[in-house]
Short mmCIF file of all heavy atoms in Angstrom, two decimals:
data_model
loop_
_atom_site.label_atom_id
_atom_site.label_comp_id
_atom_site.label_asym_id
_atom_site.label_seq_id
_atom_site.Cartn_x
_atom_site.Cartn_y
_atom_site.Cartn_z
N ASN A 435 103.66 83.07 111.32
CA ASN A 435 103.30 82.67 112.69
C ASN A 435 103.03 83.87 113.60
O ASN A 435 102.50 83.71 114.69
CB ASN A 435 104.39 81.79 113.29
CG ASN A 435 105.72 82.50 113.41
OD1 ASN A 435 106.09 83.28 112.54
ND2 ASN A 435 106.44 82.24 114.48
N LYS A 436 103.37 85.06 113.16
CA LYS A 436 103.13 86.27 113.96
C LYS A 436 101.91 87.06 113.46
O LYS A 436 101.56 88.10 114.03
CB LYS A 436 104.36 87.20 113.89
CG LYS A 436 105.60 86.64 114.54
CD LYS A 436 105.50 86.80 116.02
CE LYS A 436 106.82 86.51 116.70
NZ LYS A 436 106.75 86.79 118.12
N PHE A 437 101.25 86.57 112.42
CA PHE A 437 100.15 87.32 111.82
C PHE A 437 99.01 87.61 112.79
O PHE A 437 98.54 88.74 112.89
CB PHE A 437 99.61 86.59 110.58
CG PHE A 437 98.42 87.25 109.96
CD1 PHE A 437 98.56 88.45 109.28
CD2 PHE A 437 97.16 86.69 110.08
CE1 PHE A 437 97.46 89.08 108.71
CE2 PHE A 437 96.06 87.31 109.51
CZ PHE A 437 96.20 88.50 108.82
N TYR A 438 98.56 86.59 113.52
CA TYR A 438 97.43 86.82 114.44
C TYR A 438 97.85 87.72 115.60
O TYR A 438 97.08 88.58 116.03
CB TYR A 438 96.87 85.49 114.96
CG TYR A 438 96.03 84.77 113.92
CD1 TYR A 438 96.41 83.54 113.41
CD2 TYR A 438 94.85 85.34 113.46
CE1 TYR A 438 95.64 82.89 112.46
CE2 TYR A 438 94.07 84.69 112.51
CZ TYR A 438 94.47 83.47 112.02
OH TYR A 438 93.70 82.83 111.08
N GLU A 439 99.07 87.55 116.08
CA GLU A 439 99.55 88.43 117.15
C GLU A 439 99.63 89.87 116.66
O GLU A 439 99.25 90.81 117.36
CB GLU A 439 100.91 87.95 117.65
CG GLU A 439 101.46 88.75 118.80
CD GLU A 439 102.81 88.27 119.30
OE1 GLU A 439 103.35 87.27 118.76
OE2 GLU A 439 103.34 88.91 120.23
N TYR A 440 100.12 90.04 115.44
CA TYR A 440 100.18 91.39 114.88
C TYR A 440 98.77 91.96 114.66
O TYR A 440 98.52 93.13 114.94
CB TYR A 440 100.97 91.40 113.57
CG TYR A 440 101.21 92.78 113.01
CD1 TYR A 440 101.98 93.71 113.70
CD2 TYR A 440 100.65 93.18 111.80
CE1 TYR A 440 102.21 94.99 113.20
CE2 TYR A 440 100.87 94.45 111.28
CZ TYR A 440 101.65 95.35 112.00
OH TYR A 440 101.87 96.61 111.50
N SER A 441 97.86 91.13 114.21
CA SER A 441 96.48 91.58 114.03
C SER A 441 95.91 92.05 115.37
O SER A 441 95.23 93.09 115.43
CB SER A 441 95.63 90.45 113.45
OG SER A 441 96.08 90.13 112.14
N ALA A 442 96.18 91.30 116.44
CA ALA A 442 95.71 91.70 117.77
C ALA A 442 96.32 93.04 118.17
O ALA A 442 95.64 93.92 118.72
CB ALA A 442 96.04 90.63 118.80
N THR A 443 97.60 93.22 117.86
CA THR A 443 98.28 94.48 118.16
C THR A 443 97.66 95.63 117.38
O THR A 443 97.45 96.72 117.91
CB THR A 443 99.79 94.36 117.85
OG1 THR A 443 100.34 93.32 118.66
CG2 THR A 443 100.52 95.66 118.10
N LEU A 444 97.33 95.38 116.12
CA LEU A 444 96.69 96.42 115.30
C LEU A 444 95.34 96.81 115.88
O LEU A 444 95.00 98.00 115.91
CB LEU A 444 96.54 95.95 113.85
CG LEU A 444 97.82 95.87 113.04
CD1 LEU A 444 97.54 95.24 111.68
CD2 LEU A 444 98.46 97.23 112.88
N PHE A 445 94.58 95.84 116.34
CA PHE A 445 93.28 96.17 116.94
C PHE A 445 93.48 96.99 118.21
O PHE A 445 92.72 97.94 118.47
CB PHE A 445 92.46 94.92 117.23
CG PHE A 445 91.68 94.44 116.05
CD1 PHE A 445 92.07 93.30 115.35
CD2 PHE A 445 90.55 95.12 115.61
CE1 PHE A 445 91.36 92.86 114.25
CE2 PHE A 445 89.84 94.69 114.50
CZ PHE A 445 90.24 93.55 113.82
N GLU A 446 94.50 96.67 119.00
CA GLU A 446 94.77 97.44 120.22
C GLU A 446 95.14 98.89 119.89
O GLU A 446 94.84 99.80 120.66
CB GLU A 446 95.92 96.80 121.00
CG GLU A 446 95.58 95.49 121.66
CD GLU A 446 96.82 94.79 122.20
OE1 GLU A 446 97.86 95.45 122.42
OE2 GLU A 446 96.74 93.56 122.40
N HIS A 447 95.79 99.10 118.76
CA HIS A 447 96.27 100.42 118.37
C HIS A 447 95.46 101.05 117.24
O HIS A 447 95.90 102.05 116.65
CB HIS A 447 97.75 100.32 117.95
CG HIS A 447 98.68 99.99 119.05
ND1 HIS A 447 99.31 100.96 119.80
CD2 HIS A 447 99.07 98.79 119.55
CE1 HIS A 447 100.07 100.36 120.71
NE2 HIS A 447 99.93 99.06 120.59
N GLN A 448 94.31 100.51 116.93
CA GLN A 448 93.60 100.92 115.73
C GLN A 448 93.28 102.41 115.67
O GLN A 448 93.39 103.02 114.61
CB GLN A 448 92.33 100.10 115.56
CG GLN A 448 91.27 100.29 116.62
CD GLN A 448 90.05 99.43 116.35
OE1 GLN A 448 89.57 99.36 115.23
NE2 GLN A 448 89.57 98.77 117.39
N LYS A 449 92.96 103.02 116.78
CA LYS A 449 92.60 104.44 116.74
C LYS A 449 93.76 105.30 116.28
O LYS A 449 93.55 106.36 115.70
CB LYS A 449 92.08 104.91 118.10
CG LYS A 449 90.71 104.37 118.41
CD LYS A 449 90.17 104.92 119.70
CE LYS A 449 88.79 104.33 119.96
NZ LYS A 449 88.22 104.79 121.22
N GLU A 450 94.98 104.85 116.51
CA GLU A 450 96.16 105.59 116.07
C GLU A 450 96.24 105.68 114.55
O GLU A 450 96.95 106.53 114.01
CB GLU A 450 97.43 104.93 116.60
CG GLU A 450 97.52 104.92 118.12
CD GLU A 450 98.64 104.02 118.62
OE1 GLU A 450 99.65 103.85 117.89
OE2 GLU A 450 98.50 103.49 119.74
N PHE A 451 95.48 104.81 113.87
CA PHE A 451 95.54 104.75 112.41
C PHE A 451 94.21 105.11 111.76
O PHE A 451 94.04 104.91 110.56
CB PHE A 451 96.04 103.36 111.97
CG PHE A 451 97.42 103.09 112.48
CD1 PHE A 451 97.61 102.36 113.65
CD2 PHE A 451 98.53 103.63 111.86
CE1 PHE A 451 98.88 102.14 114.15
CE2 PHE A 451 99.80 103.42 112.36
CZ PHE A 451 99.97 102.67 113.51
N PHE A 452 93.29 105.67 112.54
CA PHE A 452 92.06 106.19 111.96
C PHE A 452 92.39 107.42 111.13
O PHE A 452 93.41 108.08 111.33
CB PHE A 452 91.05 106.54 113.05
CG PHE A 452 90.37 105.33 113.68
CD1 PHE A 452 90.64 104.03 113.28
CD2 PHE A 452 89.44 105.52 114.68
CE1 PHE A 452 90.01 102.94 113.87
CE2 PHE A 452 88.79 104.44 115.28
CZ PHE A 452 89.08 103.15 114.86
N ASP A 453 91.53 107.73 110.21
CA ASP A 453 91.77 108.78 109.21
C ASP A 453 92.31 110.08 109.82
O ASP A 453 93.30 110.63 109.33
CB ASP A 453 90.50 109.08 108.42
CG ASP A 453 90.03 107.90 107.59
OD1 ASP A 453 90.83 106.96 107.38
OD2 ASP A 453 88.88 107.92 107.15
N VAL A 454 91.66 110.58 110.86
CA VAL A 454 92.07 111.88 111.41
C VAL A 454 93.45 111.81 112.07
O VAL A 454 94.09 112.85 112.24
CB VAL A 454 91.05 112.45 112.41
CG1 VAL A 454 89.72 112.70 111.72
CG2 VAL A 454 90.88 111.56 113.62
N ASN A 455 93.92 110.63 112.39
CA ASN A 455 95.23 110.49 113.03
C ASN A 455 96.37 110.23 112.05
O ASN A 455 97.52 110.14 112.47
CB ASN A 455 95.18 109.40 114.10
CG ASN A 455 94.30 109.79 115.26
OD1 ASN A 455 94.25 110.95 115.65
ND2 ASN A 455 93.56 108.84 115.80
N VAL A 456 96.05 110.09 110.77
CA VAL A 456 97.11 109.88 109.77
C VAL A 456 97.11 110.95 108.69
O VAL A 456 98.01 110.99 107.86
CB VAL A 456 97.01 108.49 109.11
CG1 VAL A 456 97.15 107.38 110.13
CG2 VAL A 456 95.74 108.34 108.30
N VAL A 457 96.12 111.81 108.70
CA VAL A 457 95.92 112.74 107.60
C VAL A 457 97.10 113.69 107.38
O VAL A 457 97.35 114.13 106.26
CB VAL A 457 94.59 113.51 107.77
CG1 VAL A 457 94.67 114.53 108.89
CG2 VAL A 457 94.18 114.17 106.46
N LYS A 458 97.86 113.98 108.43
CA LYS A 458 98.95 114.95 108.29
C LYS A 458 100.32 114.29 108.12
O LYS A 458 101.33 114.96 108.20
CB LYS A 458 98.96 115.88 109.50
CG LYS A 458 97.72 116.76 109.52
CD LYS A 458 97.75 117.79 110.59
CE LYS A 458 96.46 118.60 110.49
NZ LYS A 458 96.39 119.68 111.41
N GLU A 459 100.34 112.99 107.87
CA GLU A 459 101.63 112.34 107.64
C GLU A 459 101.61 111.67 106.27
O GLU A 459 100.55 111.34 105.73
CB GLU A 459 101.95 111.34 108.75
CG GLU A 459 101.02 110.17 108.88
CD GLU A 459 101.31 109.32 110.10
OE1 GLU A 459 102.08 109.72 110.99
OE2 GLU A 459 100.73 108.22 110.19
N SER A 460 102.79 111.45 105.72
CA SER A 460 102.86 110.79 104.43
C SER A 460 102.55 109.30 104.59
O SER A 460 102.58 108.76 105.70
CB SER A 460 104.27 110.94 103.83
OG SER A 460 105.19 110.12 104.53
N ARG A 461 102.27 108.68 103.49
CA ARG A 461 102.00 107.23 103.49
C ARG A 461 103.16 106.47 104.09
O ARG A 461 102.97 105.59 104.93
CB ARG A 461 101.74 106.82 102.04
CG ARG A 461 101.37 105.39 101.82
CD ARG A 461 101.00 105.21 100.37
NE ARG A 461 100.83 103.82 100.02
CZ ARG A 461 100.54 103.40 98.80
NH1 ARG A 461 100.38 104.28 97.83
NH2 ARG A 461 100.41 102.13 98.54
N ASN A 462 104.38 106.82 103.68
CA ASN A 462 105.55 106.11 104.21
C ASN A 462 105.76 106.37 105.70
O ASN A 462 106.28 105.51 106.41
CB ASN A 462 106.81 106.47 103.40
CG ASN A 462 106.83 105.77 102.05
OD1 ASN A 462 106.26 104.70 101.87
ND2 ASN A 462 107.51 106.37 101.08
N GLU A 463 105.35 107.53 106.20
CA GLU A 463 105.45 107.79 107.64
C GLU A 463 104.48 106.89 108.41
O GLU A 463 104.82 106.36 109.47
CB GLU A 463 105.15 109.27 107.94
CG GLU A 463 106.25 110.20 107.50
CD GLU A 463 105.85 111.67 107.59
OE1 GLU A 463 104.65 112.00 107.49
OE2 GLU A 463 106.77 112.50 107.75
N THR A 464 103.30 106.71 107.86
CA THR A 464 102.35 105.79 108.49
C THR A 464 102.90 104.37 108.47
O THR A 464 102.83 103.64 109.47
CB THR A 464 100.98 105.84 107.79
OG1 THR A 464 100.49 107.18 107.83
CG2 THR A 464 99.97 104.93 108.46
N TYR A 465 103.49 103.98 107.35
CA TYR A 465 104.12 102.66 107.28
C TYR A 465 105.19 102.49 108.35
O TYR A 465 105.33 101.41 108.93
CB TYR A 465 104.76 102.44 105.90
CG TYR A 465 103.81 102.20 104.76
CD1 TYR A 465 104.13 102.65 103.48
CD2 TYR A 465 102.60 101.51 104.91
CE1 TYR A 465 103.31 102.42 102.40
CE2 TYR A 465 101.77 101.28 103.83
CZ TYR A 465 102.12 101.72 102.58
OH TYR A 465 101.31 101.50 101.51
N LYS A 466 105.96 103.52 108.61
CA LYS A 466 107.01 103.42 109.63
C LYS A 466 106.40 103.13 111.00
O LYS A 466 106.94 102.33 111.76
CB LYS A 466 107.84 104.71 109.67
CG LYS A 466 108.81 104.83 108.52
CD LYS A 466 109.59 106.14 108.58
CE LYS A 466 110.41 106.27 107.30
NZ LYS A 466 111.02 107.58 107.14
N ARG A 467 105.29 103.77 111.32
CA ARG A 467 104.64 103.50 112.60
C ARG A 467 104.08 102.07 112.65
O ARG A 467 104.16 101.38 113.67
CB ARG A 467 103.53 104.53 112.87
CG ARG A 467 104.08 105.92 113.10
CD ARG A 467 103.07 106.91 113.68
NE ARG A 467 101.87 107.10 112.88
CZ ARG A 467 100.62 106.85 113.30
NH1 ARG A 467 100.40 106.40 114.50
NH2 ARG A 467 99.60 107.08 112.49
N LEU A 468 103.54 101.63 111.54
CA LEU A 468 103.03 100.26 111.47
C LEU A 468 104.16 99.23 111.57
O LEU A 468 104.03 98.21 112.24
CB LEU A 468 102.23 100.06 110.18
CG LEU A 468 100.88 100.80 110.14
CD1 LEU A 468 100.39 100.95 108.71
CD2 LEU A 468 99.86 100.08 111.01
#
Side-chain angles (χ1 to χ4, degrees):
N435 62 323
K436 294 281 191 174
F437 176 71
Y438 284 116
E439 183 180 359
Y440 186 64
S441 295
T443 300
L444 288 173
F445 275 107
E446 290 170 20
H447 292 268
Q448 65 180 314
K449 288 184 180 178
E450 297 169 29
F451 299 97
F452 284 0
D453 296 344
V454 298
N455 293 324
V456 300
V457 72
K458 293 187 180 183
E459 63 187 12
S460 73
R461 183 173 170 182
N462 284 332
E463 288 170 333
T464 302
Y465 287 148
K466 285 179 187 170
R467 292 193 302 120
L468 290 161

